[in-house]
Amino acid sequence: MNTSFTKTALATLVAATTLTACDQKQASTPKWQESVFTSDIMQVTVENGPLLTYSKTSGVSIIEVDGLPFKDLNRDGALNPYEDWRLDADSRAKNLASMLSKEEIAGLMLYSRHQSIPAAPRGYFSDTYGGKPFAESGKTADELSDGQLKFITEDHLRHVLLTSVESPTIAAKWNNNLQKLAEGIGFGIPANNSSDPRNGARKEAEYNAGSGGTISQWPEEIGLAATFDPAVTEEFGRIASMEYRALGITTALSPQIDLATEPRWNRMYGTFGGHPALATDMARAYVDGFQTSAADQEIADGWGWQSVNAMVKHWPSGGPEEAGRDGHFAYGKFAVYPGGHFETHMKPFLDGAFKLNGKTGKASAVMPYYTISFDQDTTYGENVGNGFSKYIVTDLLREKYGYDGVVCTDWLITGDEGASPADFAGKSWGVEKLTLAERHFKVLEAGLDQFGGNNASGPVLEAFAMLEEKYGAEATRARIERSAVRLLKNIFRVGLFESPYLNPETSAANVGKPEYMQAGYEAQLRSIIMLKNDGVLPLKEDKKVVYVPQITTPEHLNFFGFPEPEVTKYPVDRKLLEKDFTVTDNIDEADFVLAFVKSPVSDPYSKQDRANGGNGYLPISLQHEDYVATNARAQSIAAGDPVVDPEITNRSYRGKRAVSNSYPDLPMLQDIRKQVGDKPVILVVSATNPMVFKPIEPLVDGILVEFGVQISAIQDIITGRAEPSALLPMQMPVDMETVEANEEDTPMDLTTYVDSMGNDYDFGFGLNWSGVIKDARTERYQKNQW
């Protein structure tokens, strides 16, 4: 069914919100006033109406209808329904979608690759300015790059993913330059800028509540989960949304609500963990915080000037990766369900992000993960990536569960994979042999609306032609308009058609406000878990001299698969510790040792092993010692790479050795224990995943676990200025055998470590100064109640 809305069809809607001539005589004419907003941008304030802003250089002007001002975005001198801010977002979106060309709809369906402001000179996020690197171009950081100019003007792209920005002021100026360009083209559709999570704490930044910083700093998602308090997460969303809006960001590519039941998965730190009830409540709180505007900030239905669209990810869950290998790479393309918990993994979506407490109702967008949900398609029998699966997106998400928001692919799923399963490239899992245009066609047939990481409209237009050939022109037009309406609604609801511009001075003042910094810091404190305390914490007042050992990180592969050299360095800025302690290089002079380690990880694939005749697959280790996978599966659950490695039908790594990139930490702690004797050794673990504590725990007297906090927060805990209150949002395994035995999709199925003091490092465990924490949180979220 075509969703076109003409002016005639919408006449009654307009009339319902417009005073009749008789009424106007009896009512006072609303007052509106035009003035300079900033530079060449004008603002129009209207009594009981929205703020309107427009650029004098874009060709847009103000027209008056019924005594009210409206932006003439398509410059035709008349008030089109989509320009009428009195109408609801759905009606406006349907009207505009009906007028867009195929080329313009194809542009709406694009979501840009990562954009840094200014662009880097090389690498994945590089671009040029007038054909030159930024440093050589003579341009200012707020100007648009060559690639940005092209995808806005030629490809009609209107969804831009931001990474780093030089400053809030530059971000605001860049946003204004981008919006001026977009406003002057066609129907004046503004850009909907987005961001991955950007509020992580920086350990090298000393906390100062009066400084304001650059943006408020919070623990990672798994750290928010460690508070066991959804109110903290909702407060984060509320504050982060205001900072996002000050940066020109109106869509958050978050939260990541995959149920992290596989302990080896390297993206676990970005989730709310593997407990279905806790993850569900946290998902709901996060989305409510980001999307809800209240009081005078609300436009309609909870949406408004402080709202940020939440794109929840990754449907139906990227958590159960086979053996923990991540789907960014061909070696991790399969999600498996040996425990039969496919539906359990949907709970954070269905009962959390889609059942909000706030008026916006449900998350406005969804991103499926790269992975193939292996053997879960009971209708078409396909094993293809979730973004290509009609069963996963249309049959389940849209039809069975009634979701009608935007569905956007993960980034680069239509691209070609690399020469090796370990290469960071395209992620067309299950459809590797299709052409670029055929992959776009399959995405649209699956029921998605948008292509993440695609800057060019050409392949989308080719896919439109394929749809027309198969289904006819009328059905194709109706299909692509449905997507256009969904995409446009998310732009209308946050007020961008009325006011897409920012005041740079206001942005600089609002990002990282002292009260926002304070709230983030308090959340950091509430996310730190005390696992062990053999009478050493908080430190006694006579413990003033500290020794901090250096940490060696061996040569390893980074996230993108590139080699990183061995590095030995201090894990923290020792000057920050001097706020409370005297830092010494002589361990004999120290009153105590403060050691920092990272939870172990290891490489899941070896090109050298493959070249030597092996299958290339290695075990992922969560322990510091070398690990030989003697009890791994003899036959992997899933396998198959028809282009790069078609002969590999078994991805088992049974009998192979894993070397952790944290292996030097264990002998370092063993040496320290021998040197210091009975002096206290306090260990701080920066955790991204569960870890095997068995060889390390007996060597230390106190253990803190943190998920992305500033060193000041650690100091506040160990000195007693703050009391630890966080709880484990994951299980700490007794050994790697229990990790191998775990079913990737089954929550809470590890055998956990019991330490030398008799404490079980299981889900929900944590200590405060009085001992093991037992409170309303541990009652609400019990290990086996989900």
Side-chain angles (χ1 to χ4, degrees), residues 471-488:
Y471 299 105
E474 184 176 353
T476 296
R477 179 68 198 189
R479 164 65 186 87
I480 65 175
E481 271 194 38
R482 282 196 297 273
S483 286
V485 169
R486 294 178 184 127
L487 292 161
L488 288 167

Side-chain angles (χ1 to χ4, degrees), residues 32 75 90 97 133 194 231 242 268 274 293 329 639 658 674 676 682 773:
W32 61 275
R75 298 164 295 282
D90 187 64
S194 69
M242 291 187 284
M268 187 178 196
S293 292
F329 300 86
K674 291 176 183 177
V676 301
I682 300 167
I773 299 171

